[in-house]
Amino acid sequence: MTKGIEKHFTALWKRAQQASYLDSLTADELRVWATQRGLRVETLEERNVGLFSPTRCLVLCVEGHKGCIPLVSSSGDPDWKLRREWADRKAALWDKMEWFSPLWIPNGEVSKILKDAEGGDRKRAIELFNYHTSTLYTLAFQAVCIAQFFPKSRCLRDFEPLAREAYLAFYSGYRAASIASLIPAIEGAIDRIIADDRSDIQIPHKVNHAVERAIDRAIGQHYEGNWMPPEYLTREYLFALDERVYCLETFRRWLNNHFFRRIPEYEGVTWLNRHMFAHAGSSEWQQSSNFVRLIIALATLGVVDSWHHGSYDIPLMFPAMNDDSKLLHQQAIIRAQAQSVVIQLEEKNFHDNGRRVPVLPTDDGVTLRLARLTEDCMTDLVRPLRDAGWQVEVGIPQEDGEFMSVTAIDGDERIQVGFLYSCATDCSFAR
């Protein structure tokens, strides 16, 4: 857009602001104003402009360039205020769960997570978050992130072999080591995002520089490339209207307020904090749920990278599995199944020597219990069903509730069965 045309659009907007009837400004009035400035208006229409939550505007085309004159105030519109209040409430809930508004998760599932986070304290909110995401951020989901997102991202491709090994090691029982290997990758990915611009700045400024440029590109696309008054192009305004801006901004807050938070200021529950890890401030970062958080956070950094540089390599819609992610997923299942056998052999060896199996930082016995659950499930249900001609799909055992599911199909008949390790399992997992 030429500076001359932009100057005309700015002047028309200032005149519209001076009118006391902005919300009832008509296309005929705007056409007269444009003609008075010597402009030849090619098209002029009233319509909603903007992705996700649009803004009512008069859109005029002059010399092939389109400009928008909003018919609602950027500061006094009651609808925007309600949207902003709701956006802030949701952001507070994500902060309570030490997370951010997620990509690639259906809105219905996001609503369930937010609803359950409203009641109770931070610890309970995170427990419920882990419950919901155990069936969302599955082994297959993680495999897609590693095998299909990492290779496409210039900030992640160097970490793909490490992420693959960490993924396989995690499901082979080496959980603390897997988590520890990925924590430094967050900072490394951010350094790669801003490597062409500046690298001698402190971590919070690195985060802001990386994410805010990505947000600026999302803002630039919100109004479909049309000219818009600058007050409608701020992060403050579009935080309530554009889901991409909202997601990226809450991700930036998570990085600064949780992951990179200084030790004296960190008051979280997940303990997924770079400084706690680096300076051995606590061993609580070894929680198994943090592995999945790291995979998703790294994949989200891939999105930040692609928007920061305008390559848009990482999709905002979650793709179907390709051969690479399928093979990685199957590899992890084989590792997990082999680990079940190893765990039971180890238990027998300890018991034969009159000793109990020592508790590990990331395993208080849950792996053994899930191994027994899997063995009983395969012996008592899966094998008999397969011998009878049923097609059986076995889910991965879920450690959060110590349960697993089985789906069996025979022609038009379909049955689904859930197995709990014991009746002491929280009833919410049987929903």
Side-chain angles (χ1 to χ4, degrees), residues 365-428:
V366 66
T367 306
L368 176 60
R369 294 192 291 274
L370 291 179
R372 289 177 173 170
L373 175 66
T374 302
E375 183 180 34
D376 290 346
C377 174
M378 296 296 293
T379 301
D380 297 340
L381 182 69
V382 175
R383 290 193 183 100
L385 281 172
R386 285 176 175 167
D387 291 343
W390 287 72
Q391 179 183 345
V392 183
E393 179 180 339
V394 183
I396 295 295
Q398 300 296 317
E399 69 175 53
D400 289 340
E402 297 183 6
F403 72 96
M404 64 185 299
S405 61
V406 173
T407 301
I409 300 174
D410 182 20
D412 295 332
E413 192 170 357
R414 177 189 181 94
I415 60 173
Q416 290 180 294
V417 182
F419 286 86
L420 303 178
Y421 177 77
S422 75
C423 60
T425 300
D426 192 317
C427 292
S428 64

Side-chain angles (χ1 to χ4, degrees), residues 43-77:
T43 60
L44 178 56
E45 61 178 339
E46 179 181 334
R47 64 182 177 88
N48 291 328
V49 181
L51 303 175
F52 306 105
S53 298
T55 302
R56 190 164 63 93
C57 300
L58 289 173
V59 184
L60 69 160
C61 181
V62 177
E63 298 181 14
H65 300 289
K66 290 186 177 182
C68 299
I69 304 299
L71 298 178
V72 294
S73 170
S74 64
S75 58
D77 179 40

Side-chain angles (χ1 to χ4, degrees), residues 322-337:
N322 63 15
D323 289 342
D324 288 337
S325 57
K326 286 179 182 177
L327 287 170
L328 179 61
H329 178 225
Q330 291 165 2
Q331 196 176 2
I333 292 175
I334 292 170
R335 296 286 183 103
Q337 291 172 342

Side-chain angles (χ1 to χ4, degrees), residues 78-90:
D79 288 340
W80 179 86
K81 287 184 176 180
L82 287 174
R83 290 181 182 277
R84 180 60 199 233
E85 290 173 2
W86 174 230
D88 287 337
R89 285 199 299 270
K90 290 192 297 181

Side-chain angles (χ1 to χ4, degrees), residues 144-361:
V144 170
C145 289
I146 295 169
Q148 295 180 224
F149 290 170
F150 281 43
K152 293 181 179 179
S153 171
R154 74 172 207 166
C155 82
L156 296 177
R157 62 172 62 105
D158 290 344
F159 297 111
E160 182 200 357
L162 173 66
R164 281 178 174 269
E165 184 169 313
Y167 174 73
L168 296 174
F170 185 84
Y171 293 105
S172 298
Y174 302 101
R175 301 188 174 193
S178 300
I179 296 168
S181 69
L182 292 183
I183 290 177
I186 297 285
E187 187 172 352
I190 293 172
D191 284 338
R192 284 162 173 75
I193 292 173
I194 65 172
D196 295 339
D197 303 313
R198 51 202 297 188
S199 59
D200 58 342
I201 53 179
Q202 297 298 312
I203 287 176
H205 300 297
K206 289 181 181 181
V207 171
N208 294 338
H209 183 58
V211 180
E212 287 175 2
R213 180 175 289 185
I215 292 175
D216 288 341
R217 290 192 186 276
I219 290 173
Q221 294 185 11
H222 179 81
Y223 297 107
E224 306 164 28
N226 300 323
W227 179 89
M228 196 74 173
E231 55 265 47
Y232 294 81
L233 297 170
T234 65
R235 299 184 190 96
E236 178 74 16
Y237 184 74
L238 288 177
F239 184 73
L241 302 181
D242 191 293
E243 292 181 13
R244 299 165 307 183
V245 173
Y246 179 79
C247 173
L248 291 169
E249 172 59 20
T250 56
F251 181 58
R252 184 186 69 82
R253 294 180 185 183
W254 173 76
L255 287 168
N256 281 333
N257 297 340
H258 296 285
F259 187 80
F260 288 116
R261 192 76 167 185
R262 295 174 64 248
I263 291 178
E265 300 169 356
Y266 181 75
E267 298 178 348
V269 174
T270 66
W271 298 94
L272 184 54
N273 177 274
R274 178 258 194 200
H275 302 293
M276 287 288 184
F277 164 76
H279 303 292
S282 169
S283 61
E284 293 296 320
W285 55 266
Q286 299 172 12
Q287 297 174 42
S288 293
S289 57
N290 283 339
F291 177 77
V292 178
R293 285 177 177 253
L294 285 166
I295 293 294
I296 305 305
L298 283 166
T300 305
L301 276 174
V303 174
V304 170
D305 180 43
S306 67
W307 280 75
H308 179 98
H309 295 287
S311 61
Y312 312 112
D313 297 318
I314 308 300
L316 299 182
M317 298 294 291
F318 203 71
M321 297 184 77
N322 63 15
D323 289 342
D324 288 337
S325 57
K326 286 179 182 177
L327 287 170
L328 179 61
H329 178 225
Q330 291 165 2
Q331 196 176 2
I333 292 175
I334 292 170
R335 296 286 183 103
Q337 291 172 342
Q339 181 65 13
S340 295
V341 176
V342 171
I343 287 291
Q344 294 185 78
L345 290 174
E346 289 177 344
E347 181 206 26
K348 183 178 183 303
N349 186 48
F350 272 93
H351 289 182
D352 287 347
N353 286 276
R355 304 285 295 278
R356 296 180 62 183
V357 180
V359 173
L360 299 176

